[in-house]
Amino acid sequence: MAEMSALDKLYKAKIVLQKLHPFFAYLIMHMKTISDPKCPTLGVNRNGDVFYNEAYTESLSDTLLRSCLVHEICHVILAHVMRHRQGWNQQLGNRAADIIANDLLDTEGFELDPNWIVPKDHKYRSEERRVGKECRSRWSPYH
């Protein structure tokens, strides 16, 4: 069987995400996907357009490509692309945004590339979950 093109792999990833992660899939289905040979991997702009490098996209496993798409939509959801300002250290800002997006992916059970940056510890998560659970139980109409 012939290898899938980058665009076909992206279509397949979007379809599979509809079953596995419908929230993210709904958002991703509204993103334009644009091939860009100058983009080394994948990226997103403030309009929510995803730019992808065909060779890089073709090299990814199906699960990692889904993670990449969700990673990019996280930047849009969390308004990372809107925070760029003149005089901002773009490299540092992008790294901080990537840590947050990757942490969210890790929490949701997505595969992470070993080269992606993630928080060193997740001590805050247990407290965050405890407070979230307490708020849900206190304010939920079902408790």
Side-chain angles (χ1 to χ4, degrees):
M1 187 167 128
E3 291 288 319
M4 292 179 76
S5 71
L7 190 57
D8 287 339
K9 285 185 78 164
L10 286 165
Y11 287 146
K12 179 182 176 185
K14 289 177 180 185
I15 291 167
V16 172
L17 279 169
Q18 286 180 320
K19 181 170 178 87
L20 300 177
H21 298 278
F23 170 73
F24 293 117
Y26 176 79
L27 299 171
I28 290 167
M29 294 302 270
H30 290 86
M31 300 171 79
K32 284 189 215 173
T33 47
I34 302 165
S35 176
D36 183 357
K38 292 183 272 181
C39 179
T41 57
L42 281 90
V44 67
N45 65 15
R46 64 180 54 226
N47 298 325
D49 303 324
V50 174
F51 297 89
Y52 66 96
N53 179 292
E54 289 187 19
Y56 177 76
T57 302
E58 290 169 358
S59 75
L60 294 173
S61 68
D62 292 345
T63 55
L64 198 51
L65 180 55
R66 290 193 299 269
S67 297
C68 286
L69 286 173
V70 173
H71 173 98
E72 296 307 328
I73 197 64
C74 283
H75 288 311
V76 176
I77 294 168
L78 300 169
H80 293 159
V81 294
M82 303 302 283
R83 297 180 183 185
H84 293 261
R85 294 183 179 88
Q86 187 174 7
W88 177 15
N89 182 333
Q90 186 173 353
Q91 184 178 12
L92 185 61
N94 285 342
R95 292 184 135 237
D98 284 343
I99 289 171
I100 293 167
N102 293 340
D103 188 46
L104 181 59
L105 264 66
D106 188 40
T107 301
E108 293 296 318
F110 284 90
E111 176 185 351
L112 300 181
D113 184 291
N115 297 317
W116 290 358
I117 53 178
V118 293
K120 288 189 177 181
D121 68 49
H122 299 284
K123 290 180 186 173
Y124 67 89
R125 272 201 196 155
S126 59
E127 180 65 12
E128 180 180 286
R129 286 186 180 139
R130 184 193 65 73
V131 170
K133 188 183 284 186
E134 183 180 317
C135 288
R136 282 190 300 277
S137 65
R138 184 178 296 168
W139 301 108
S140 172
Y142 306 108
H143 289 91

